[in-house]
Structures are given as structure tokens and as C-alpha cells.
Amino acid sequence: MKKTFYLFAIISSNLFYSQNEDTIVELYADVTNDNKEEKIIIKELKEEGEYGKTRLLEIYKKNKNNWVIIASSKSAILSSEDGGMMGDPFDKENISVEKGIITIIHRGGSSWKWDTTHKYRFQNNKFELIGYETSNGKPCNYWEHISYNLSTGKAIYKRENEICEDYESEHQKESNKEEIFFFKLKKLPTIENINTVDYKITSPKYKVTFLFYYLFRTQTFCHSCFNTKIAT
């Protein structure tokens, strides 16, 4: 019965998507720590949403002579126009695997710029988010950065002014900040539900709230992303 299901899943998937997609990434690496390579494919679908073309990430495991899908996500990779004025936020070089950890990077913005890094590890029989970093800011103004280790619960928030000669910004009136705090989520986001469920954390000292949503989707102006509380 299990073999029949796998075969049906592979055939039906190919029939549905073959005429409606472009493969932009095909990567082979051991991401389940079994000393066997899995296959990661990122496809750009013809369907378009509010932010351009949808991307589909799929992870396959070899089962005898067939590749079987073990994870699938339409939310792990941003759409083609999610980068704002900077254009496509995702490049094929922005996904990598090291020691079984999948790292995905996005960048976007205009004069105010942002980037996010998500790190996933296969554990508890799914690809869970174990690391998250995000930055946003504007040259000659300031930069904010958050680094969060979901395994240990350690989060680091920094805000640093960027001083440029013959230029003064009202944003620089606020002093540089740094805060280290600990917060462990009861349930970790996964590669399949990232950006579909609201996860937020607020720092105890500066009351800075950050989300696991990509910055471009949460706010129109990224320089306010960290300071805006969004209810779950």
C-alpha cells in the first residue's frame, strides 16, 4: 500500500505541475542525517498572487528508484516581486546546505533595505526552524539586527547608527542599543508553515517586537518593522 501511494504521489505531482512551472534550483545534499543525499527543488509556478509568481519548494527522498516528496512549501520562498523596488528577493545562490542545515536568504527594499535568513534542520520528523536573522535599515541612518537561536532560545537585538559626512538624519537622535534575552517557543515553525502562522517575540527591555514573517510582507516601510506589534 505504501509503495502504491508513493507512485501515485509522484505521477500526479508531475502531471499537475509539468506544464505550469519552471525549475530555478535543483540541489542535492544530505538533509536528514542518514548519509544519503536528498533532492531539493524550487519551482516558479505560473500562478501569480499579490506579490508576483509563487515559488514552490519541495524536498525529495530516494525510495529505491523513485523520488518521494517528504516536504513541500509554497511559503518558504518569497514570490518574484516580494523584494519591492529591489526586485526579486530570492536568487538561486541564496539557498545552501551545510551539516544538514538548510539556509535560505532573502533581500529586498528600496532606500530602506532588509534581509532575512532562515535555517532549518530535520528533527522531530520535520524540517524545523532553528535559526533566524533579520536586518533592516537605511544607509546614513541606522541599522537594526536580530539574531535568534530557536534551539537555545537566545536572542540578540542591536540598533546601530550609521554616520555619514555632511548628512544628518532625525533617526540618528536615538542612541545605539543592544539587548540579549532568552525566550523559547513551545512549538517551532517549520519549513512548511513558515509565513503562514504568526510567531512573534517582544524583547523585555526595549519592547522591540519581531516576527518570523518576511519584513516586506509585514509593513510598508521596513524601518518600522521591529517596532510594530502585530497580534497573533
Side-chain angles (χ1 to χ4, degrees):
M1 179 63 73
K2 188 175 292 186
K3 292 182 180 178
T4 302
F5 172 78
Y6 285 160
L7 181 60
F8 173 77
I10 295 168
I11 292 175
S12 61
S13 175
N14 287 340
L15 286 174
F16 182 78
Y17 284 119
S18 59
Q19 302 300 319
N20 298 291
E21 66 188 21
D22 293 314
T23 298
I24 55 178
V25 171
E26 184 169 330
L27 175 66
Y28 295 83
D30 178 14
V31 293
T32 60
N33 298 311
D34 61 355
N35 295 317
K36 297 179 181 178
E37 287 189 339
E38 282 74 44
K39 178 168 65 172
I40 302 174
I41 289 182
I42 298 174
K43 305 169 183 177
E44 183 169 84
L45 307 182
K46 300 303 181 184
E47 64 180 72
E48 292 205 26
E50 184 179 358
Y51 298 103
K53 293 182 179 178
T54 301
R55 271 70 183 270
L56 173 68
L57 180 147
E58 295 177 325
I59 303 175
Y60 293 80
K61 176 173 280 293
K62 197 73 172 287
N63 179 42
K64 294 185 178 180
N65 294 323
N66 295 321
W67 286 103
V68 180
I69 295 178
I70 59 173
S72 178
S73 176
K74 283 187 176 182
S75 58
I77 307 297
L78 283 181
S79 298
S80 59
E81 297 176 11
D82 263 320
M85 294 294 291
M86 289 181 65
D88 196 334
F90 179 77
D91 184 86
K92 64 181 180 180
E93 304 298 328
N94 289 7
I95 181 170
S96 61
V97 176
E98 185 175 356
K99 296 181 179 180
I101 297 175
I102 302 171
T103 299
I104 299 173
I105 299 172
H106 290 87
R107 298 184 178 92
S110 53
S111 57
W112 291 92
K113 306 180 189 303
W114 59 264
D115 64 74
T116 61
T117 300
H118 292 72
K119 296 186 177 183
Y120 302 92
R121 182 169 60 202
F122 188 73
Q123 56 191 29
N124 302 316
N125 207 34
K126 50 185 173 285
F127 292 94
E128 294 184 325
L129 185 70
I130 62 165
Y132 175 78
E133 293 186 11
T134 183
S135 299
N136 81 103
K138 182 179 181 180
C140 299
N141 280 266
Y142 71 90
W143 297 95
E144 286 183 299
H145 178 77
I146 282 180
S147 177
Y148 183 38
N149 184 323
L150 283 79
S151 297
T152 65
K154 183 178 181 179
I156 303 173
Y157 164 72
K158 292 183 179 180
R159 182 194 186 283
E160 297 178 312
N161 290 323
E162 182 176 307
I163 307 300
C164 296
E165 188 176 355
D166 299 325
Y167 183 84
E168 188 173 331
S169 169
E170 62 178 24
H171 296 292
Q172 295 174 350
K173 295 178 181 178
E174 189 173 349
S175 61
N176 292 340
K177 298 176 181 177
E178 182 172 353
E179 180 178 2
I180 300 175
F181 61 98
F182 289 84
F183 184 89
K184 294 201 73 169
L185 293 172
K186 294 180 179 179
K187 187 176 182 180
L188 298 182
T190 70
I191 203 167
E192 295 184 288
N193 71 14
I194 194 73
N195 294 320
T196 65
V197 179
D198 288 358
Y199 293 91
K200 71 172 184 178
I201 294 175
T202 301
S203 69
K205 182 178 180 180
Y206 293 117
K207 306 302 180 184
V208 176
T209 296
F210 66 98
L211 312 172
F212 298 115
Y213 261 68
Y214 291 102
L215 296 180
F216 182 69
R217 287 185 174 175
T218 58
Q219 297 292 328
T220 303
F221 300 103
C222 285
H223 62 273
S224 64
C225 290
F226 286 137
N227 300 319
T228 303
K229 295 184 179 180
I230 297 179
T232 57

